[in-house]
């Protein structure tokens, strides 16, 4: 709930009881954390392979061309594909006042997706990618994954049909969008492409749509919910939050050409990219404005509450990365950073810092309430956040800076005529930033250690956390308004 109506929020809290099974949400939170750890480890290995190409040179599955797609598939489909239904299964009954439908099927579907993604990643490692970015799963896996991604969408929609609460909280909008956007984009990527510009547009639409729209959406919805519940304060502006959601949902896909500006893209894509860029910036500023204004005068909560710290770091990282992504859509910026590692840095900022911090903020809030165990160690959780922030932040910054340096060098070379930007000239431009790649790879190890501490905190909470009441939802019939 977003706190749009504090009186209504208190009434929903009165519906909390102790007899609903929330095993689907609980188990999928754990599974998502394990995927986050595995995906980060694969990404760290890929970055070291980028810096030292001779590393594991005799092992095909350790090549950069296999490690990078395996890492992103693990993070986006493994981590993102399981944390999205986990957040949906926890939030939906609390926001609509109805029991979650088909809990056993939801759990089996989530675990099935996890197993299929894990198997698909192994196939990518051993046999190589079978498609474009975020579409590297073998064709045999595409439609089973699509069916399992559709299950949360159908389950959440069935639950909403039995709602007893008529208000539409912004958290619910994000959750509903996330569970439908994921399968819709995946199915779009599985359809044979149209001729001519079809493959180009389809590849960009799916990869960028998943990364900027489907992947962070549930975590953003969880952030609005956690912000109000943990701070005990009403949301600064419900209309602003909804405006951010509708702007993101309406313009994120228009930002698809951003990554390809400066290359052989049609001229009309520049106009589309600018519209999408502005939408991304507006949606991110709506989030950070609501966060800052809601906590205004209560920032001491951040020092006392690790969940609020995770939320602030995640929201700040998301805003920064999204604004930089949006700025990349303008011609002057694209002329400098287009087709460089700048966009790789934006990807790393999203998958290594922004979404993990937002998602773990939700997990550290919700997991104790579904398991009946208090968070095992707030000190370890705080240390994990610091390591993730510094490690992941430096990794992303190194690739962003490398992209900027490469872009400046290529533009200078082109203007002066001293070097061409193809073949050996292109390679020379990349060699100038090898030190930044090395620093980024080393920093990613710190991020991996931070993720390991977070995952250990979650597991230890379930094993040895002190007892606390379990929070579950019991609909109340014939309720009268206060």
């Amino acid at each position: 709930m977003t706190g749009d109506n504090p009186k209504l929020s208190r009434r929903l809290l009165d519906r909390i009881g102790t007899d609903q099974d929330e095993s689907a949400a609980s188990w999928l939170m754990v599974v998502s954390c394990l995927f986050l750890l595995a995906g980060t480890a694969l990404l760290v290995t890929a970055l070291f392979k980028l810096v030292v190409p001779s590393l594991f040179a005799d092992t095909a599955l350790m090549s950069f061309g296999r490690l990078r797609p395996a890492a992103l598939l693990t993070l986006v489909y493994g981590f993102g594909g399981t944390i999205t239904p986990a957040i949906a299964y926890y939030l939906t009954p609390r926001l609509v006042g109805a029991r979650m439908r088909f809990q056993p099927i939801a759990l089996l579907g989530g675990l099935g997706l996890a197993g299929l993604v894990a198997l698909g990643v192994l196939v990518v490692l051993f046999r190589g990618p079978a498609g474009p970015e975020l579409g590297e799963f073998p064709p045999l896996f595409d439609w089973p994954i699509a069916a399992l991604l559709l299950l949360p969408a159908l389950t959440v929609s069935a639950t909403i049909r039995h709602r007893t609460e008529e208000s539409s909280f912004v958290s619910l909008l994000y959750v509903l969008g996330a569970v439908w956007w994921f399968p819709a984009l995946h199915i779009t990527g599985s359809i044979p492409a149209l001729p001519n510009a079809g493959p180009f547009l389809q590849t960009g639409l799916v990869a960028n749509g998943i990364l900027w729209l489907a992947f962070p959406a549930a975590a953003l919805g969880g952030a609005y919910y956690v912000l109000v519940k943990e701070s005990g304060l009403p949301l600064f502006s419900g209309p602003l939050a909804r405006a951010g959601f509708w702007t993101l949902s309406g313009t994120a896909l228009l930002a698809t050409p951003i990554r390809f500006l400066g290359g052989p893209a049609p001229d009309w894509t520049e106009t589309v990219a600018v519209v999408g860029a502005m939408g991304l910036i507006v949606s991110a500023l709506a989030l950070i404005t609501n966060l800052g204004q809601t906590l205004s005068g209560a920032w001491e909560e951040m020092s006392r509450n690790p969940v609020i710290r995770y939320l602030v770091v995640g929201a700040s990282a998301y805003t920064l990365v999204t604004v930089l992504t949006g700025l990349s859509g303008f011609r002057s910026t694209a002329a400098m950073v287009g087709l460089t590692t700048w966009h790789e840095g934006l990807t790393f900022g999203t998958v290594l810092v922004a979404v993990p911090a937002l998602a773990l903020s939700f997990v550290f809030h919700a997991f104790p309430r579904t398991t009946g165990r208090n968070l095992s160690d707030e000190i370890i959780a705080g240390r994990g956040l610091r390591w993730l922030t510094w490690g992941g932040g430096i990794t992303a910054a190194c690739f962003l800076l490398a992209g900027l340096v490469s872009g400046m060098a290529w533009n200078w070379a082109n203007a002066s005529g001293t070097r061409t930007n193809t073949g050996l000239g292109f390679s020379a431009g990349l060699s100038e930033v090898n030190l930044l790649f090395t620093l980024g790879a080393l920093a990613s190890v710190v991020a991996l250690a931070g993720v390991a501490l977070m995952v250990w905190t979650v597991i230890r909470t379930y094993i040895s956390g002190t007892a606390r009441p379990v929070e579950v939802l019991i609909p109340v019939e014939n309720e009268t308004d206060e």
Side-chain angles (χ1 to χ4, degrees), residues 12 58 63 116 141 158 162 176 200 288 317 335 363 368 374 396 401 436:
L12 287 175
D58 297 330
S63 65
L116 199 58
F141 285 65
H162 295 81
L176 190 59
F200 163 76
I288 201 66
V363 170
N374 283 312
L401 184 58
L436 289 171

Side-chain angles (χ1 to χ4, degrees), residues 135-445:
E136 296 97 341
F137 287 122
L140 184 64
F141 285 65
D142 283 338
W143 294 107
I145 288 177
L148 292 172
L149 286 173
L150 271 172
L151 184 59
L154 297 174
T155 304
V156 169
S157 298
T159 302
I160 293 176
R161 287 181 55 206
H162 295 81
R163 64 190 302 164
T164 61
E165 174 54 58
E166 295 302 322
S167 299
S168 294
F169 299 100
V170 73
S171 296
L172 185 61
L173 294 177
Y174 274 104
V175 164
L176 190 59
V179 295
W180 280 105
W181 288 330
F182 242 122
L185 287 165
H186 178 78
I187 291 171
T188 301
S190 303
I191 298 173
L194 298 172
N196 301 322
F200 163 76
L201 294 174
Q202 182 183 28
T203 298
L205 179 71
V206 172
N208 294 293
I210 288 178
L211 192 62
W212 294 332
L213 185 61
F215 180 54
L220 294 174
Y224 278 112
Y225 179 88
V226 170
L227 172 62
V228 173
K229 287 296 295 289
E230 289 287 337
S231 68
L233 300 169
L235 188 67
F236 168 69
S237 175
L240 179 62
R242 292 188 184 89
F245 167 80
W246 290 114
T247 302
L248 178 67
S249 61
T251 61
L253 294 182
L254 295 179
T256 292
I258 284 179
R259 183 175 296 192
F260 307 107
L261 294 182
D267 292 339
W268 58 265
T269 58
E270 291 187 6
T271 302
V272 174
V274 169
V275 175
M278 291 189 292
L280 289 174
I281 293 173
V282 168
S283 64
L285 293 179
L287 172 69
I288 201 66
T289 300
N290 257 322
L291 172 68
Q293 292 299 317
T294 299
L295 293 177
S296 179
W299 284 104
E300 65 276 4
E301 283 294 318
M302 192 169 70
S303 61
R304 296 197 302 261
N305 190 329
V307 176
I308 294 291
R309 289 202 298 275
Y310 271 80
L311 177 60
V312 171
V313 168
S316 300
Y318 173 78
T319 301
L320 178 60
V321 170
T322 306
V323 168
L324 290 177
T325 301
L327 292 176
S328 305
F330 293 91
R331 182 193 293 253
S332 56
T333 308
M336 187 66 64
V337 300
L339 305 180
T340 71
T341 59
W342 173 272
H343 296 285
E344 202 79 343
L346 296 174
T347 299
F348 294 158
T350 300
V351 302
L352 273 184
V353 184
V355 176
L358 287 173
L360 266 295
S361 170
F362 172 82
V363 170
F364 288 153
H365 168 82
F367 193 65
R369 289 167 169 80
T370 61
T371 60
R373 302 278 186 177
N374 283 312
L375 200 63
S376 62
D377 195 324
E378 294 186 359
I379 295 177
I380 295 297
R383 186 175 300 147
L385 177 63
R386 288 194 298 274
W387 291 4
L388 176 77
T389 305
W390 283 105
I394 291 175
T395 298
C398 285
F399 279 80
L400 288 168
L401 184 58
L404 184 60
V405 171
S406 296
M408 293 174 64
W410 292 334
N411 276 274
W412 171 82
N414 184 61
S416 64
T418 57
R419 189 173 68 202
T420 60
N421 292 331
T422 60
L424 294 177
F426 185 86
S427 300
L430 288 178
S431 66
E432 294 168 352
V433 293
N434 278 340
L435 177 59
L436 289 171
F437 293 160
T438 303
L439 291 175
L442 293 173
S444 68
V445 177

